[in-house]
Structure formats: C-alpha cells, structure tokens
Amino acid sequence: MLRAIEHKKGAVLILDQSRLPHSITDIKCTSWRQVSRCIKELKIRGAPAIGIAAAMGYALGAEEINAKDTGTLIEKLAPVFEGLFESRPTAVNLGWALQRMMEKARLLAGEGRTVRQIKDALWREAGLIHKEDIRINKAIGVWGSQFIKDGDVILTHCNAGALATGGYGTATAPIFLAHKQGKRIHVIVDETRPVLQGARLTALEMREAGIPMTLITDNSAGALLQQRRINLAIVGTDRTTRNGDVANKIGTYSVAVLCKENKVPFYVAAPLSSIDFSMRSGGLIPIEQRHENEVFFVRGRRIAPTGIRAANLAFDVTPARYVTAIITEVGAFRPNQLKKIASGKGAGLDAVRYVP
Amino acid sequence: MLRAIEHKKGAVLILDQSRLPHSITDIKCTSWRQVSRCIKELKIRGAPAIGIAAAMGYALGAEEINAKDTGTLIEKLAPVFEGLFESRPTAVNLGWALQRMMEKARLLAGEGRTVRQIKDALWREAGLIHKEDIRINKAIGVWGSQFIKDGDVILTHCNAGALATGGYGTATAPIFLAHKQGKRIHVIVDETRPVLQGARLTALEMREAGIPMTLITDNSAGALLQQRRINLAIVGTDRTTRNGDVANKIGTYSVAVLCKENKVPFYVAAPLSSIDFSMRSGGLIPIEQRHENEVFFVRGRRIAPTGIRAANLAFDVTPARYVTAIITEVGAFRPNQLKKIASGKGAGLDAVRYVP
C-alpha cells in the first residue's frame, strides 16, 4: 500500500500526490516551510494525512530552532504553529494535531526537560499520531464493514484512502475490510474534479488492493443511483461539526442529496480527530476557495477559453439530515448522537453505538 | 456567433467542435459517411445540430448516388438513411430530420420529378430545416425569457447553445434574449465532463456574447444551489417523451434533483422536434454508452491509472416531476401538459400555454 508520509533521518518524506498515478516521487522536506508548502499545493492532502504532516512539520520546525533554553524554544515554535496552521483552512485535523504537539512541548518544558529532550519527544509524538491514525482507521473499518453486504456496490467520492491518512484510509477502511472478509463488492469511484483525487488516487488504491471498481465522472453518480446500481455511499470528512454537519470535498453534498432522493444510505467515515466538537454547525466551517487554474487546467492543458472566470470551492457542507451514520473509531453514530460524545470523548459510548 | 454547420457548393462544412475553444477549423464533408463520422465523433453535437447535419448528410448522400431513375435513387437512399440514423442513438432530432428528408424524396418521386430535381429539393429541404431551427430557437427565447428576472443567476449544463443548433441555441436563447433586453444576468456554466461541452463551448459562447459568466466543475452546482446563489436552471434536451421525462447530457438529472431539493426552478428548452410524442416515458429512451477513453483522457492526457475500467453514460433521464416547465417554440408547458399537444402539434396550444 502506498504511504503518504514518513519520518526518516530527521527529514519528512512526502509522497508527491499531485503527480500520481503517473509518477511515484517523494519530496524530502528538511524545513517546516517545505512541509507547509506541500500541504498548500496538495502534494499531501486528506484531513488525517495533513494532520500527520503538520505534526511532523512542527517537529521539524523545532529541530530548526536554535534555542539555548526551553523558553526560547517554546517562543520560537509559535510562528511554526501559525505557519503550518494557515496552510489550509477547512480540515480540523490540522489544528488538532498542532494543538496536541504544542501542548506536548509546553508540558515537557514545564516539567524541566532539556531542549534536546523536547525536540526528540516531538518527533515521537508525531510518530504516535501517525501510528494512532492507522489504528483508528482499522477500527473505523471494523465499525463500517457491518454496513457492507456481500454483493454491494459502493460509491465513494474523492480520496479518503490510505493516501489521505497515515495508512489504510477512513472511507476505504470498511471497503478494504469487507473485501478481506470475502464479500464480493464493487466500488464506484467518482473522479472528483477539479483535482481528480478519485481518478488519480482512489482508483489506484482500489486497483492495488485488487478490489473491482469502475471510474465515473462526478455527474454520473446521480444516474447510477437512480438506476438502483449503487447500494451505499461512503465518504470521508475534513471537518464534521457537533450537530453532524459534514464538510468534505466539493460534490459530497450532491452525492448525499442524490442518495437521499433514491433512498440509498450515505455514510461518513470520521475519526474523532476530524469532528470539531467546538463548532455548533456546518455553516461556521471555513470553506477554502482555491485558484481558478485548478478548474481551467487538467494536467497542464487548458480546457476552457481564456478571458473567463471560474469558481473553485474546495469543499461543501452536507447537512446532518442527509447522513445515515457517522463511522468513528469508537462506533457508528447517527449524526444527532454526536452531541452525546461532545464532552469527554469516549465516555458512555456503548450507549450510543449505532445498530443499523 | 459561431455556426456549427453550413452547406456550401455541394459540400457540408462542419465546425470541428472537438477542437474548440483552442482551434476554429471546419471539416469539409463531401460524402454522407464523413458527415456520419463527424456526428459519431462529436465534431458536431447537440440534438438540433445533429438533426441538421443528418439532413444535409442525406442530401449529400443523394448527390453521391448515380441513379438513372428516381426508383433507383429512393432505393439507394435507404442505406444512407440507416447509416446516418445509426450515428448516435439518443437524440430524437436525428431520426426526425431523416424521416422528413425521406418523406420529401418519396413525395417528389411520386409526383414524377426527375432525379436532379429531387436532389436539388433535398438540399433545399435541409436548408429549410436549418432556417426553421433558428426561427424555432428565437421563439424559445421569447417564451423562455419570461422566466428570467433582472439580477438572476442562471445555471446551465452542457451546451445547448448556438453550436448545438442551427444557431442561437435552445437553452441559451432565453439567456441571449434576457441579456439583450437589458436584464443584468449571470450564467453559471457546468464544465460537463467528460467531453467538457460547458467549459469548451458554452463558456466560449457566453464570452463572445459578453454575458457575465462563471465556469464551475459539475460537482459545484449543488453547493451553489444550497447557498441560494442560483435562481434558476435551464438545460436543453436530446429527447423528451410524451409524459415530460427529459433525456439530456449526463449530470442533468443531478442538477434537476438538486434544484428541486433547494426549491430552484428547473427549465428544459425543447423544440417540438426534440419531443418524442411516440414514446410513453423516459425509461424507453435508448441511452448511448460511449468509450471509456473519454473518461480516462482529457485533451490527450491520461488522468487515471491504467488497468482499470470506467463507465461512460452519455445521457441520463430526468423524470417529469423535477421539471418546472418545458419551453418550446409554441409556448412553455408544465410537463404533464405535453400530452395535450401529442396529437396534432399546434392545435389548441393557447389553452395550455404556461403562465408562471
């Protein structure tokens, strides 16, 4: 399985996903600014993966700081936090991972550790976030695969696969597990314009895993749903709010509406780190608008006349009422149940585990 | 305004739309088989335009026939009819135009005209179909522009513009007229994967007409509708059945569902020639499946890994219940009113003209 990111000998290796599937090339980052640029330019993307990248970028940033004492280190880490935080606005994992890294640094400084000890601990913490992410995804797979029956045809949008995460994927975890369990499944992959994460990344992951799949243009999903050729949809999320509203790649809202119209269940795979319990509803999520050149150009070739404008919303928000269940690492929940785990994640979760 | 097709000195000039907007080149067809190939390969597309192309192809086919008597001419025209008819399956205009041409030839043969006279008359008939189409489109503009208010933002999908017709367009006719009337409008253009008729053709037509527009990826329309940034949608149709079901470019069904979900009116511009009064409902319309390479390649560059499959449905069917009104050259109708004009098109139409 392709891996999106790796810490190796003091550098952060980021697989350049903008060149997939045509070329498999790592970018070796030796500064936090390089990591930030990789996030901005979609060399690495996917909410969990950019959380991990931010964590590793933060550790790299600490390494770059020449500090005689821990006070200076903490102080000089502030612009690293800010710089990485501003790389992209929508995914909550980015802020979540940076927050966790910053708290770790402050805790250790408070405990009187040395600068070197803190720097080492930050690398370990980033590695931990990475490892946890894979474990979380496997748990999402267990909870999610219960919704997949033998013979099911599954629609997915964008890439919430191994490449979008530390490994294994969020939306793809139930798919991989169902396949491993011997269920005969077929995956319909939305190409996901403008950046084509579905065509370039999800299709590649499905092919590598040997899972039968069909690539479609985004505007074909509706017709297939209408024709009863899709049994369920699973997507990832960049930020889900307390009330169960789901921000995800542009086009997700359309898929959800079309699923509801055709009475097809619509699932969202969401590690708890992607749920923003501090945010009341989806209308508050900052939605990134990216450059119109992503619309105008495909693989460097212009597809539209010059002298016109384009809009390029990177994400949309699917209201909770369209979501059948949100699949986390601790259970699958109806969107309105999320509130119950808002305070003290993990407490009393058995009570709200979703039974389909 | 760009013109899709023209008869000039015994040849049929077809603007190669597959090369737009990058290059404006005519293909000079001197045989009906060339015309058929142009239709198949989307050099010319759009239901009304391929009707005109088929009519001109038929006249060209007649010209190619070496017949001593009119009986031989009529007999040898049968494979021309068949060959052109099979170029594409979904648009009803193709069969409609060929039927009209064939009837003309038979009528004149029955009246004892010479081979030469029939050949000349077929060119005139094709020219008449072309001229009528432009007149029809202008009438659609008059009926349709009543639905466009000053300040409206209008969504359109694919290209039902001048290039899809003899000139002026179907879905674009109300837009052009509203703009001419001084209404301040803005058009949102779906790029329309896989062949990108929106990005390549509609965007070009809007730019040429000086109508403010924004290009979007197909999967962005839902978010804009949800955000109340679109006031109405207008699309064309390749075949509308008696009950008001609308076959049109893949993705139209999704637009219609998303409009309904967000209470935005959804209009279909349909010359009577695109309404198949002989067909009961949309489920019976033959839907063309095109080659998967249209999905895999954009302007000659592959966007997906090798070793995978793609589905490429060229059209979908929007059930009548999603359609606010069908705008024809003789009035705008609620879909369930179409039945009333099924027999004797034009009779008693005043009674069913749509008042919004």
Side-chain angles (χ1 to χ4, degrees):
Chain A
M1 212 175 263
L2 291 162
R3 64 104 192 85
I5 188 164
E6 191 179 349
H7 168 218
K8 205 167 179 177
K9 296 178 188 161
V12 177
L13 302 182
I14 290 178
L15 176 62
D16 185 352
Q17 296 190 34
S18 71
R19 301 179 67 179
L20 286 178
H22 316 289
S23 144
I24 297 175
T25 324
D26 274 332
I27 297 168
K28 187 177 174 182
C29 300
T30 53
S31 78
W32 71 266
R33 287 183 200 277
Q34 275 177 288
V35 174
S36 170
R37 203 171 322 122
C38 282
I39 296 172
K40 269 198 191 85
E41 296 173 359
L42 311 187
K43 309 299 189 191
I44 187 165
R45 24 65 50 202
I50 66 180
I52 297 162
M56 290 191 181
Y58 191 84
L60 199 50
E63 206 63 84
E64 291 176 74
I65 294 168
N66 211 332
K68 279 186 296 284
D69 54 72
T70 56
T72 312
L73 178 68
I74 297 297
E75 194 185 314
K76 288 191 170 171
L77 272 170
V80 176
F81 183 105
E82 286 303 319
L84 285 164
F85 184 77
E86 286 163 8
S87 311
R88 289 190 76 192
T90 303
V92 70
N93 308 60
L94 202 155
W96 169 88
L98 287 169
Q99 187 77 23
R100 178 164 155 179
M101 294 295 284
M102 186 191 71
E103 283 168 12
K104 186 79 186 174
R106 289 192 173 165
L107 181 75
L108 295 177
E111 285 176 359
R113 307 296 173 91
T114 66
V115 168
R116 185 66 256 159
Q117 282 174 326
I118 295 175
K119 287 180 176 180
D120 291 341
L122 288 177
W123 281 117
R124 277 196 305 276
E125 191 68 11
L128 208 60
I129 290 176
H130 192 174
K131 274 198 212 78
E132 280 175 17
D133 184 61
I134 297 171
R135 216 162 53 225
I136 284 167
N137 295 343
K138 290 194 171 170
I140 288 173
V142 173
W143 286 108
S145 65
Q146 66 179 311
F147 301 118
I148 302 175
K149 294 186 308 297
D150 186 43
D152 272 353
V153 177
I154 306 155
L155 174 67
T156 190
H157 187 72
C158 197
N159 175 264
L163 290 162
T165 63
Y168 214 67
T170 55
T172 52
I175 294 171
F176 288 140
L177 184 56
H179 177 66
K180 210 172 148 190
Q181 290 166 340
K183 293 173 188 167
R184 284 156 300 180
I185 57 173
H186 192 104
V187 178
I188 303 289
V189 178
D190 272 355
E191 64 176 9
T192 319
R193 277 280 288 151
V195 184
L196 296 164
Q197 293 92 338
R200 298 188 301 105
L201 312 178
T202 305
L204 186 66
E205 291 186 358
M206 291 301 128
R207 187 193 72 180
E208 293 305 297
I211 298 173
M213 60 143 292
T214 303
L215 178 66
I216 59 168
T217 58
D218 300 318
N219 56 23
S220 302
L224 296 182
L225 284 161
Q226 184 194 26
Q227 294 165 19
R228 314 247 154 273
R229 288 161 72 179
I230 290 170
N231 301 96
L232 69 150
I234 312 182
V235 301
T237 175
D238 294 82
R239 185 185 310 225
T240 286
T241 51
R242 198 165 64 213
N243 69 336
D245 290 349
V246 174
N248 191 45
K249 180 57 55 205
I250 188 76
T252 302
Y253 164 73
S254 301
V255 169
V257 169
L258 288 158
C259 279
K260 193 174 191 202
E261 190 74 8
N262 292 288
K263 298 184 175 57
V264 169
F266 176 82
Y267 299 102
V268 176
L272 290 178
S273 62
S274 67
I275 300 175
D276 189 343
F277 290 100
S278 75
M279 208 172 255
R280 210 178 54 246
S281 72
L284 303 165
I285 300 172
I287 297 297
E288 181 179 9
Q289 300 208 30
R290 297 184 59 84
H291 198 281
E292 55 189 6
N293 277 348
E294 287 182 352
V295 178
F296 290 146
F297 290 87
V298 176
R299 291 204 70 198
R301 303 206 65 179
R302 192 168 181 105
I303 59 152
T306 54
I308 65 166
R309 305 305 307 266
N312 185 10
L313 290 169
F315 302 94
D316 59 27
V317 176
T318 300
R321 67 178 179 280
Y322 297 102
V323 179
T324 308
I326 293 171
I327 307 165
T328 76
E329 63 269 38
V330 295
F333 306 96
R334 294 186 193 281
N336 63 13
Q337 295 175 329
L338 281 188
K339 282 191 291 288
K340 301 186 187 174
I341 51 171
S343 58
K345 305 176 187 179
L349 285 177
D350 279 328
V352 287
R353 272 177 193 162
Y354 183 80
V355 180
Chain B
M1 212 174 265
L2 290 162
R3 64 104 191 85
I5 188 165
E6 192 180 348
H7 168 219
K8 204 166 180 177
K9 295 178 188 162
V12 177
L13 301 183
I14 290 177
L15 176 62
D16 186 353
Q17 297 189 35
S18 70
R19 301 178 69 179
L20 287 177
H22 315 289
S23 145
I24 296 176
T25 322
D26 274 332
I27 297 169
K28 186 178 174 181
C29 300
T30 52
S31 77
W32 71 266
R33 286 181 201 278
Q34 275 176 290
V35 174
S36 169
R37 203 172 321 121
C38 282
I39 296 172
K40 269 198 191 86
E41 295 172 0
L42 310 187
K43 308 301 188 191
I44 186 164
R45 25 63 53 201
I50 65 179
I52 297 162
M56 290 190 181
Y58 191 84
L60 198 51
E63 206 63 84
E64 290 176 76
I65 293 168
N66 210 333
K68 279 186 295 285
D69 54 72
T70 56
T72 312
L73 176 69
I74 296 298
E75 193 185 316
K76 287 191 171 172
L77 272 170
V80 176
F81 183 105
E82 286 303 319
L84 285 163
F85 184 76
E86 284 163 8
S87 311
R88 289 191 77 191
T90 303
V92 70
N93 308 59
L94 203 154
W96 170 88
L98 287 169
Q99 186 77 25
R100 178 164 155 179
M101 294 295 284
M102 186 191 71
E103 282 169 12
K104 187 78 186 176
R106 287 191 175 168
L107 181 74
L108 295 177
E111 287 177 358
R113 306 296 173 92
T114 66
V115 169
R116 186 65 256 159
Q117 281 175 327
I118 295 175
K119 287 179 176 180
D120 290 343
L122 287 177
W123 280 117
R124 278 198 303 277
E125 190 69 11
L128 207 60
I129 290 176
H130 191 175
K131 274 197 212 80
E132 279 175 18
D133 184 60
I134 296 172
R135 215 161 53 223
I136 285 167
N137 295 342
K138 291 194 170 168
I140 288 173
V142 173
W143 287 108
S145 65
Q146 66 179 312
F147 301 117
I148 302 176
K149 293 188 309 294
D150 187 42
D152 271 353
V153 176
I154 305 156
L155 173 67
T156 190
H157 187 71
C158 197
N159 174 264
L163 289 162
T165 63
Y168 215 67
T170 56
T172 53
I175 294 172
F176 289 140
L177 184 57
H179 177 66
K180 208 172 150 191
Q181 290 166 340
K183 293 174 188 166
R184 285 156 299 179
I185 56 173
H186 192 104
V187 178
I188 304 288
V189 178
D190 272 355
E191 65 176 9
T192 319
R193 276 280 287 150
V195 183
L196 296 163
Q197 292 92 339
R200 298 188 300 107
L201 311 178
T202 305
L204 185 66
E205 291 186 357
M206 292 300 128
R207 187 193 73 181
E208 293 305 298
I211 299 173
M213 60 141 294
T214 304
L215 179 65
I216 59 168
T217 59
D218 300 317
N219 56 23
S220 301
L224 296 181
L225 284 161
Q226 184 193 26
Q227 294 165 21
R228 314 247 152 271
R229 288 162 70 180
I230 291 171
N231 301 96
L232 69 149
I234 312 182
V235 301
T237 175
D238 294 82
R239 185 185 310 225
T240 287
T241 51
R242 198 166 63 213
N243 69 335
D245 291 350
V246 174
N248 191 43
K249 180 57 55 204
I250 189 76
T252 302
Y253 165 72
S254 300
V255 169
V257 168
L258 288 157
C259 280
K260 194 175 190 199
E261 189 75 8
N262 292 289
K263 300 185 175 55
V264 169
F266 175 83
Y267 299 102
V268 176
L272 291 177
S273 63
S274 67
I275 301 175
D276 188 344
F277 290 100
S278 76
M279 208 173 257
R280 210 178 53 246
S281 73
L284 302 166
I285 301 172
I287 297 297
E288 180 178 11
Q289 299 207 31
R290 296 183 59 84
H291 199 281
E292 55 189 7
N293 277 347
E294 287 182 352
V295 178
F296 290 145
F297 290 88
V298 176
R299 291 205 70 197
R301 302 206 67 180
R302 193 169 180 104
I303 58 151
T306 54
I308 64 166
R309 303 307 305 266
N312 184 11
L313 290 169
F315 302 93
D316 59 27
V317 176
T318 299
R321 66 178 179 280
Y322 297 102
V323 179
T324 308
I326 293 172
I327 307 165
T328 76
E329 64 268 38
V330 294
F333 305 97
R334 294 187 194 282
N336 63 14
Q337 294 175 329
L338 280 189
K339 281 191 291 286
K340 301 186 188 174
I341 49 171
S343 57
K345 306 175 186 178
L349 286 176
D350 280 328
V352 287
R353 270 176 194 162
Y354 183 79
V355 180

